[in-house]
Amino acid sequence: MEKPVGDSLQITQLLKKWSEGNQEVLDKLMPLVYDELRRQASRYLRRERANHTLQTTALIHEAYLKLIDQNQVEWQNRTHFFAIAAQAMRRILVDYARERNRDKRGGAAENLPLEEAAFVVAAQEKTVDLVALDEALTRLAKFDERQARVVELRYFSGLSIDETAEILGVSNVTVRRDWNMAKAWLHQQITK
């Protein structure tokens, strides 16, 4: 659910003040963004195995700690903030998956659904290894950084085509094309 325009404007203004070095605005910002961070974290954790040790609140707090350490970011708006928050959550979950796989020394992989790949995969949901997906995204970014960013923003952040286009400064058509090409390429890489 989209925040009212007033909230978006207030969040954007607070983010800009934060970019300018005003750390005191974090106390005002957190209550405004917490519900959306919770939704993002819940969405991520629904894709994880049932007995995942990281809970929604812990994921939010770890991501928040990573976000407040971001002193080089010039925050553009709330969409930009939530895209960076989703990246932080992705990194945290990938790190947990890698640690778990290390602990198990090749044990069962962390799985999550690769949504919206119906044109590549049969109509049923396809699960992929989170670490494999992260590694494939890293490879994709080496030859097409924008396609990798589209996947991060659409899949991991849950942003719409319009929001993704706004963040990247490209047209909706470009985002759709990149999204479709990246999904097909990732599917091919992960299912080898």
Side-chain angles (χ1 to χ4, degrees):
M1 177 183 216
E2 188 64 28
K3 288 282 186 187
V5 175
D7 282 355
S8 291
L9 183 59
Q10 185 178 9
I11 291 169
T12 298
Q13 290 170 340
L14 291 170
L15 287 167
K16 289 187 187 284
K17 288 179 183 176
W18 183 20
S19 292
E20 295 165 358
N22 184 343
Q23 297 296 312
E24 295 166 6
V25 299
L26 289 176
D27 292 336
K28 295 177 185 172
L29 180 64
M30 192 57 182
L32 295 173
V33 298
Y34 188 83
D35 288 342
E36 181 61 27
L37 288 174
R38 182 174 251 322
R39 276 190 286 282
Q40 279 185 329
S42 293
R43 196 172 340 152
Y44 272 120
L45 290 172
R46 273 194 306 269
R47 297 172 182 159
E48 292 293 321
R49 70 185 193 286
N51 62 347
H52 198 285
T53 58
L54 192 61
Q55 299 299 316
T56 303
T57 303
L59 180 56
I60 293 168
H61 290 209
E62 284 194 42
Y64 181 73
L65 291 174
K66 287 185 182 291
L67 289 169
I68 62 173
D69 284 343
Q70 299 283 334
N71 54 8
Q72 303 292 335
V73 176
E74 284 189 38
W75 300 105
Q76 298 168 12
N77 53 34
R78 76 178 283 284
T79 305
H80 183 230
F81 173 80
F82 289 117
I84 299 294
Q87 277 185 330
M89 288 181 199
R90 173 184 163 216
R91 294 269 38 113
I92 291 163
L93 289 172
V94 167
D95 289 347
Y96 268 78
R98 284 193 173 119
E99 184 63 33
R100 183 167 187 264
N101 287 344
R102 258 194 305 274
D103 290 347
K104 291 185 115 185
R105 297 180 196 251
E110 301 287 327
N111 290 325
L112 61 93
L114 183 57
E115 296 173 347
E116 295 187 28
F119 77 99
V120 176
V121 185
Q124 64 197 42
E125 191 172 72
K126 176 74 176 162
T127 59
V128 294
D129 181 316
L130 180 59
V131 175
L133 177 58
D134 182 64
E135 290 169 354
L137 263 178
T138 301
R139 287 192 304 275
L140 176 60
K142 288 181 181 175
F143 70 85
D144 197 321
E145 189 174 336
R146 189 179 66 215
Q147 281 185 14
R149 287 287 293 144
V150 166
V151 172
E152 285 178 341
L153 294 169
R154 295 276 296 132
Y155 179 70
F156 289 102
S157 299
L159 298 183
S160 68
I161 295 283
D162 292 339
E163 292 168 324
T164 302
E166 179 186 336
I167 290 282
L168 297 176
V170 297
S171 71
N172 292 1
V173 171
T174 299
V175 170
R176 279 189 191 90
R177 183 182 58 239
D178 284 351
W179 178 232
N180 289 332
M181 291 174 64
K183 287 188 298 184
W185 188 88
L186 287 169
H187 175 72
Q188 185 268 332
Q189 292 295 304
I190 291 168
T191 58
K192 280 187 191 180

